[in-house]
Amino acid sequence: MNDPHDERIILASRAIAKSQNPCCFSGAGLSAPSGVGTFRDPGDGWWSRHDPMKLASPDGFAEDPELVMKWYAARRIQMAHAQPNAGHLALACRPDIIQITQNTDDLLKRAGCDRLIQLHGDITSDRCHGNCGHVEHVDMSNPSLNRYCPACSVWGMRPTVTWFGESLPTAAWALAEEATLNCDLMLVVGTSAVVYPAAALIELASRAGATIVIINSESTAATPLADHELIGSAEEILPRLLGSG
Ligand code: BV8
Protein backbone atom coordinates (compact mmCIF):
# COMPACT_ATOMS: atom_id res chain seq x y z
CA MET A 1 0.00 0.00 0.00
CA ASN A 2 1.58 3.28 -1.04
CA ASP A 3 -1.35 5.72 -1.13
CA PRO A 4 -1.26 7.41 2.27
CA HIS A 5 -4.91 8.35 1.97
CA ASP A 6 -5.97 4.89 0.85
CA GLU A 7 -9.73 4.54 1.28
CA ARG A 8 -9.25 1.33 3.25
CA ILE A 9 -7.09 3.08 5.81
CA ILE A 10 -9.71 5.81 6.20
CA LEU A 11 -12.57 3.35 6.71
CA ALA A 12 -10.58 1.26 9.21
CA SER A 13 -9.41 4.38 11.06
CA ARG A 14 -13.03 5.49 11.42
CA ALA A 15 -13.97 2.11 12.91
CA ILE A 16 -11.08 2.35 15.38
CA ALA A 17 -12.02 5.94 16.31
CA LYS A 18 -15.56 4.77 17.10
CA SER A 19 -14.37 1.84 19.21
CA GLN A 20 -14.91 2.14 22.97
CA ASN A 21 -13.00 -1.00 23.95
CA PRO A 22 -10.29 -1.96 21.42
CA CYS A 23 -7.77 -4.77 21.81
CA CYS A 24 -4.88 -5.93 19.66
CA PHE A 25 -3.88 -9.52 18.90
CA SER A 26 -0.36 -9.70 17.47
CA GLY A 27 2.13 -12.19 16.10
CA ALA A 28 5.65 -12.40 14.76
CA GLY A 29 4.93 -10.08 11.81
CA LEU A 30 4.68 -7.11 14.22
CA SER A 31 8.33 -7.63 15.24
CA ALA A 32 9.63 -8.70 11.81
CA PRO A 33 10.51 -5.12 10.71
CA SER A 34 12.70 -4.93 13.85
CA GLY A 35 14.76 -7.80 12.45
CA VAL A 36 13.18 -10.55 14.58
CA GLY A 37 12.61 -13.70 12.49
CA THR A 38 9.03 -14.85 11.99
CA PHE A 39 8.02 -18.48 12.31
CA ARG A 40 6.75 -19.19 8.84
CA ASP A 41 8.13 -16.66 6.42
CA PRO A 42 10.73 -18.33 4.21
CA GLY A 43 13.70 -17.44 6.35
CA ASP A 44 17.39 -18.18 6.16
CA GLY A 45 19.65 -19.88 8.69
CA TRP A 46 17.80 -21.63 11.49
CA TRP A 47 14.31 -21.47 10.06
CA SER A 48 15.30 -23.14 6.78
CA ARG A 49 17.45 -25.80 8.46
CA HIS A 50 15.27 -26.65 11.47
CA ASP A 51 11.54 -26.95 12.08
CA PRO A 52 10.57 -24.37 14.76
CA MET A 53 7.67 -26.63 15.72
CA LYS A 54 10.20 -29.32 16.69
CA LEU A 55 12.73 -27.02 18.34
CA ALA A 56 9.99 -25.22 20.33
CA SER A 57 8.71 -28.42 21.93
CA PRO A 58 9.43 -30.63 24.98
CA ASP A 59 10.27 -33.53 22.64
CA GLY A 60 12.73 -31.38 20.71
CA PHE A 61 14.39 -30.29 23.97
CA ALA A 62 14.53 -33.85 25.26
CA GLU A 63 16.02 -35.06 21.98
CA ASP A 64 18.68 -32.38 21.58
CA PRO A 65 18.80 -29.81 24.40
CA GLU A 66 22.04 -28.34 23.06
CA LEU A 67 20.52 -27.64 19.61
CA VAL A 68 17.40 -26.11 21.19
CA MET A 69 19.36 -23.80 23.52
CA LYS A 70 21.67 -22.78 20.62
CA TRP A 71 18.52 -21.89 18.60
CA TYR A 72 17.23 -19.77 21.47
CA ALA A 73 20.65 -18.18 21.89
CA ALA A 74 20.66 -17.18 18.19
CA ARG A 75 17.14 -15.72 18.51
CA ARG A 76 18.04 -13.92 21.75
CA ILE A 77 21.11 -12.32 20.20
CA GLN A 78 18.97 -11.25 17.21
CA MET A 79 16.43 -9.74 19.64
CA ALA A 80 19.14 -8.04 21.71
CA HIS A 81 19.97 -5.90 18.67
CA ALA A 82 16.32 -5.25 17.82
CA GLN A 83 14.56 -2.01 18.60
CA PRO A 84 10.80 -1.39 18.81
CA ASN A 85 9.61 -0.32 15.35
CA ALA A 86 7.01 2.29 14.37
CA GLY A 87 4.28 -0.36 14.72
CA HIS A 88 5.18 -1.09 18.37
CA LEU A 89 5.47 2.65 19.09
CA ALA A 90 2.10 3.42 17.46
CA LEU A 91 0.46 0.78 19.68
CA ALA A 92 2.25 2.19 22.74
CA CYS A 93 0.67 5.61 22.00
CA ARG A 94 -2.73 3.98 22.60
CA PRO A 95 -2.76 2.79 26.24
CA ASP A 96 -6.52 2.18 25.84
CA ILE A 97 -5.72 -0.80 23.59
CA ILE A 98 -5.10 -4.07 25.50
CA GLN A 99 -2.20 -5.93 23.90
CA ILE A 100 -2.64 -9.70 23.51
CA THR A 101 0.51 -11.01 21.88
CA GLN A 102 1.84 -14.40 20.78
CA ASN A 103 5.29 -12.85 20.63
CA THR A 104 7.83 -13.77 23.26
CA ASP A 105 10.13 -10.79 22.57
CA ASP A 106 10.11 -7.67 24.80
CA LEU A 107 9.58 -5.09 22.03
CA LEU A 108 6.01 -4.12 22.99
CA LYS A 109 7.16 -3.75 26.62
CA ARG A 110 10.20 -1.66 25.60
CA ALA A 111 7.93 0.48 23.36
CA GLY A 112 5.92 1.34 26.48
CA CYS A 113 2.89 -0.97 26.30
CA ASP A 114 1.99 -1.93 29.86
CA ARG A 115 -1.44 -3.48 29.28
CA LEU A 116 0.33 -6.52 27.83
CA ILE A 117 -0.73 -10.20 27.86
CA GLN A 118 1.98 -12.58 26.56
CA LEU A 119 0.13 -15.78 25.62
CA HIS A 120 3.28 -17.74 24.73
CA GLY A 121 5.57 -16.49 27.49
CA ASP A 122 8.69 -14.40 27.58
CA ILE A 123 12.01 -15.32 25.91
CA THR A 124 14.04 -12.97 28.13
CA SER A 125 14.22 -15.42 31.01
CA ASP A 126 14.90 -19.12 31.69
CA ARG A 127 13.25 -21.42 34.22
CA CYS A 128 14.06 -24.78 35.78
CA HIS A 129 13.00 -27.63 33.48
CA GLY A 130 12.40 -29.62 36.64
CA ASN A 131 9.67 -27.11 37.59
CA CYS A 132 11.23 -26.24 40.97
CA GLY A 133 10.11 -22.64 40.41
CA HIS A 134 13.55 -21.11 39.84
CA VAL A 135 13.49 -18.37 37.14
CA GLU A 136 16.39 -16.19 36.04
CA HIS A 137 16.76 -13.28 33.65
CA VAL A 138 18.88 -13.98 30.56
CA ASP A 139 21.56 -11.65 29.17
CA MET A 140 20.07 -11.47 25.66
CA SER A 141 23.36 -10.32 24.11
CA ASN A 142 25.31 -13.16 25.76
CA PRO A 143 22.72 -15.86 26.49
CA SER A 144 23.57 -18.88 28.67
CA LEU A 145 23.25 -22.33 27.17
CA ASN A 146 22.52 -25.70 28.81
CA ARG A 147 23.19 -25.71 32.57
CA TYR A 148 22.06 -27.13 35.91
CA CYS A 149 19.33 -25.33 37.81
CA PRO A 150 21.18 -23.38 40.54
CA ALA A 151 18.26 -23.89 42.93
CA CYS A 152 17.61 -27.64 42.70
CA SER A 153 20.58 -28.93 40.65
CA VAL A 154 18.27 -30.60 38.10
CA TRP A 155 19.93 -30.59 34.67
CA GLY A 156 18.23 -28.26 32.19
CA MET A 157 17.29 -24.60 32.36
CA ARG A 158 14.83 -23.69 29.53
CA PRO A 159 13.22 -20.50 28.21
CA THR A 160 10.05 -19.32 29.99
CA VAL A 161 8.03 -19.75 26.80
CA THR A 162 5.09 -22.03 25.95
CA TRP A 163 6.25 -24.81 23.68
CA PHE A 164 4.08 -26.67 21.17
CA GLY A 165 2.25 -29.36 23.11
CA GLU A 166 2.33 -27.31 26.34
CA SER A 167 -0.69 -25.56 27.79
CA LEU A 168 -0.75 -21.76 27.72
CA PRO A 169 -0.22 -19.92 31.04
CA THR A 170 -3.60 -20.13 32.79
CA ALA A 171 -3.67 -16.53 34.02
CA ALA A 172 -2.60 -15.09 30.65
CA TRP A 173 -5.22 -17.16 28.82
CA ALA A 174 -7.98 -16.08 31.21
CA LEU A 175 -7.04 -12.40 30.81
CA ALA A 176 -6.88 -12.78 27.02
CA GLU A 177 -10.30 -14.46 26.84
CA GLU A 178 -11.81 -11.74 29.04
CA ALA A 179 -10.28 -8.93 26.94
CA THR A 180 -11.46 -10.67 23.75
CA LEU A 181 -15.05 -11.08 24.96
CA ASN A 182 -15.17 -7.47 26.22
CA CYS A 183 -13.69 -5.79 23.17
CA ASP A 184 -15.76 -4.12 20.46
CA LEU A 185 -12.83 -4.06 18.02
CA MET A 186 -9.80 -6.35 17.58
CA LEU A 187 -6.73 -5.31 15.62
CA VAL A 188 -5.10 -8.51 14.29
CA VAL A 189 -1.49 -7.68 13.45
CA GLY A 190 1.23 -9.79 11.82
CA THR A 191 -0.04 -13.29 12.45
CA SER A 192 -0.65 -16.26 10.17
CA ALA A 193 -3.43 -17.25 12.61
CA VAL A 194 -2.52 -20.95 12.53
CA VAL A 195 -1.36 -21.49 16.13
CA TYR A 196 -4.11 -22.57 18.51
CA PRO A 197 -5.69 -21.97 20.91
CA ALA A 198 -4.35 -18.38 20.47
CA ALA A 199 -5.77 -17.96 16.95
CA ALA A 200 -9.22 -18.97 18.24
CA LEU A 201 -9.39 -15.56 19.95
CA ILE A 202 -10.00 -13.90 16.58
CA GLU A 203 -13.14 -15.93 15.91
CA LEU A 204 -14.21 -15.52 19.53
CA ALA A 205 -14.02 -11.72 19.15
CA SER A 206 -15.86 -11.81 15.83
CA ARG A 207 -18.64 -14.04 17.19
CA ALA A 208 -18.96 -11.73 20.19
CA GLY A 209 -19.69 -8.90 17.74
CA ALA A 210 -16.31 -7.14 17.61
CA THR A 211 -15.09 -5.45 14.42
CA ILE A 212 -12.03 -7.29 13.10
CA VAL A 213 -9.28 -5.16 11.52
CA ILE A 214 -6.45 -7.26 10.06
CA ILE A 215 -3.06 -5.73 9.26
CA ASN A 216 -0.80 -8.29 7.57
CA SER A 217 1.63 -8.54 4.68
CA GLU A 218 -0.54 -11.24 3.12
CA SER A 219 -3.99 -12.78 3.49
CA THR A 220 -4.18 -15.43 6.18
CA ALA A 221 -6.48 -18.02 7.74
CA ALA A 222 -8.15 -15.11 9.58
CA THR A 223 -9.01 -13.19 6.38
CA PRO A 224 -12.61 -14.54 6.22
CA LEU A 225 -13.21 -12.95 9.64
CA ALA A 226 -11.98 -9.48 8.61
CA ASP A 227 -14.31 -6.50 8.51
CA HIS A 228 -11.28 -4.54 7.30
CA GLU A 229 -8.12 -6.13 5.87
CA LEU A 230 -5.09 -3.94 5.23
CA ILE A 231 -2.34 -5.73 3.32
CA GLY A 232 1.09 -4.23 3.98
CA SER A 233 3.72 -3.76 6.66
CA ALA A 234 2.49 -3.20 10.20
CA GLU A 235 5.22 -0.64 10.83
CA GLU A 236 3.84 1.50 7.98
CA ILE A 237 0.11 0.92 8.46
CA LEU A 238 -0.27 1.08 12.26
CA PRO A 239 1.00 4.70 12.62
CA ARG A 240 -1.49 5.78 9.94
CA LEU A 241 -4.33 3.78 11.45
CA LEU A 242 -3.76 4.93 15.03
CA GLY A 243 -3.11 8.54 14.21
CA SER A 244 0.57 8.70 15.10
CA GLY A 245 1.89 8.64 11.55
C1 BV8 B 1 -1.81 -26.10 23.45
C2 BV8 B 1 6.67 -19.82 21.94
C3 BV8 B 1 -2.98 -27.56 24.87
C4 BV8 B 1 7.86 -20.66 21.63
C5 BV8 B 1 4.94 -20.48 20.36
C6 BV8 B 1 -6.24 -26.78 18.55
C7 BV8 B 1 -6.42 -26.44 19.88
C8 BV8 B 1 -5.36 -26.47 20.77
C9 BV8 B 1 -4.07 -26.83 20.33
C10 BV8 B 1 -3.89 -27.18 19.02
C11 BV8 B 1 -4.96 -27.16 18.13
N1 BV8 B 1 -4.49 -27.54 16.93
C12 BV8 B 1 -3.17 -27.81 17.02
C13 BV8 B 1 -2.77 -27.60 18.29
C14 BV8 B 1 -1.40 -27.80 18.78
C15 BV8 B 1 -0.52 -26.55 18.61
C16 BV8 B 1 -0.75 -25.83 17.31
O1 BV8 B 1 -1.41 -24.80 17.28
N2 BV8 B 1 -0.21 -26.34 16.24
C17 BV8 B 1 -0.43 -25.71 14.95
C18 BV8 B 1 0.82 -24.94 14.52
C19 BV8 B 1 -0.76 -26.82 13.97
N3 BV8 B 1 -0.74 -25.66 19.73
C20 BV8 B 1 -0.08 -25.88 20.88
O2 BV8 B 1 0.65 -26.82 21.07
C21 BV8 B 1 -0.33 -24.87 21.99
N4 BV8 B 1 -0.62 -25.54 23.23
O3 BV8 B 1 -2.64 -26.16 22.61
O4 BV8 B 1 -1.94 -26.62 24.72
C22 BV8 B 1 -2.32 -28.86 24.56
C23 BV8 B 1 -1.57 -29.44 25.55
C24 BV8 B 1 -0.99 -30.69 25.28
C25 BV8 B 1 -1.14 -31.29 24.02
C26 BV8 B 1 -1.88 -30.66 23.00
C27 BV8 B 1 -2.47 -29.44 23.29
C28 BV8 B 1 0.93 -24.05 22.26
C29 BV8 B 1 1.26 -23.19 21.09
C30 BV8 B 1 2.36 -22.20 21.49
C31 BV8 B 1 3.62 -22.50 20.73
N5 BV8 B 1 4.66 -21.51 21.07
N6 BV8 B 1 5.89 -19.60 20.74
C32 BV8 B 1 8.93 -19.87 20.93
O5 BV8 B 1 8.69 -18.72 20.54
O6 BV8 B 1 10.05 -20.43 20.79
S1 BV8 B 1 4.02 -20.17 18.98
C33 BV8 B 1 4.94 -19.30 17.86
O7 BV8 B 1 4.09 -19.22 16.71
C34 BV8 B 1 5.25 -17.87 18.20
O8 BV8 B 1 4.79 -17.44 19.45
C35 BV8 B 1 4.53 -17.11 17.09
O9 BV8 B 1 4.19 -15.85 17.43
C36 BV8 B 1 3.37 -18.02 16.93
C37 BV8 B 1 2.36 -17.88 15.87
O10 BV8 B 1 2.96 -17.60 14.70
P1 BV8 B 1 2.76 -16.10 14.13
O11 BV8 B 1 3.01 -15.13 15.23
O12 BV8 B 1 1.47 -16.04 13.45
O13 BV8 B 1 4.00 -16.02 13.18
P2 BV8 B 1 4.07 -16.55 11.68
O14 BV8 B 1 5.50 -16.51 11.30
O15 BV8 B 1 3.29 -17.83 11.56
O16 BV8 B 1 3.26 -15.45 10.84
C38 BV8 B 1 3.74 -14.14 10.74
C39 BV8 B 1 2.75 -13.40 9.86
O17 BV8 B 1 3.15 -12.04 9.78
C40 BV8 B 1 2.73 -13.92 8.41
O18 BV8 B 1 1.38 -14.01 7.98
C41 BV8 B 1 3.49 -12.84 7.63
O19 BV8 B 1 2.98 -12.71 6.33
C42 BV8 B 1 3.19 -11.61 8.44
N7 BV8 B 1 4.19 -10.54 8.36
C43 BV8 B 1 5.54 -10.66 8.21
N8 BV8 B 1 6.10 -9.43 8.24
C44 BV8 B 1 5.08 -8.53 8.43
C45 BV8 B 1 3.86 -9.23 8.51
N9 BV8 B 1 2.68 -8.62 8.68
C46 BV8 B 1 2.69 -7.28 8.80
N10 BV8 B 1 3.82 -6.52 8.73
C47 BV8 B 1 5.02 -7.12 8.54
N11 BV8 B 1 6.14 -6.35 8.46
Side-chain angles (χ1 to χ4, degrees), residues 26-38 79 81-93 103 105-113 189-190 215 232-239 242 244:
S26 56
L30 173 63
S31 296
S34 298
V36 178
T38 68
M79 288 176 191
H81 297 101
Q83 294 302 322
N85 63 55
H88 297 107
L89 297 171
L91 291 170
C93 290
N103 296 342
D105 63 54
D106 59 354
L107 294 173
L108 277 168
K109 212 177 287 176
R110 283 165 55 195
C113 295
V189 182
I215 299 104
S233 179
E235 67 163 347
E236 286 161 27
I237 294 174
L238 281 172
L242 301 176
S244 56

Side-chain angles (χ1 to χ4, degrees), residues 46 55-57 67-77 104 123 143 159 161-163:
W46 291 96
L55 294 177
S57 76
L67 176 64
V68 169
M69 290 308 280
K70 278 185 192 152
W71 180 54
Y72 278 97
R75 292 174 61 195
R76 283 164 161 169
I77 289 164
T104 59
I123 202 169
V161 300
T162 307
W163 278 337

Side-chain angles (χ1 to χ4, degrees), residues 25-33 37-41 47 52-53 55-56 71-72 75 79 85 101-104 119-121 123 159 161-168 189-198 215-220 230 232-235:
F25 176 74
S26 56
L30 173 63
S31 296
T38 68
F39 268 66
R40 289 165 190 83
D41 283 338
W47 278 255
M53 299 267 296
L55 294 177
W71 180 54
Y72 278 97
R75 292 174 61 195
M79 288 176 191
N85 63 55
T101 190
Q102 303 170 93
N103 296 342
T104 59
L119 287 177
H120 296 153
I123 202 169
V161 300
T162 307
W163 278 337
F164 289 99
E166 293 184 326
S167 299
L168 275 59
V189 182
T191 181
S192 59
V194 298
V195 174
Y196 281 81
I215 299 104
N216 209 72
S217 49
E218 62 189 1
S219 290
T220 69
L230 306 170
S233 179
E235 67 163 347

Side-chain angles (χ1 to χ4, degrees), residues 22 44 59 67 87 126 128 140 203:
D44 52 7
D59 292 349
L67 176 64
D126 278 341
C128 173
M140 297 287 275
E203 187 173 356

Side-chain angles (χ1 to χ4, degrees), residues 19 27 43 45 50 71 99 143 148-149 154 158 206 232:
S19 162
H50 302 284
W71 180 54
Q99 301 295 331
Y148 287 96
C149 171
V154 157
R158 51 152 296 172
S206 176

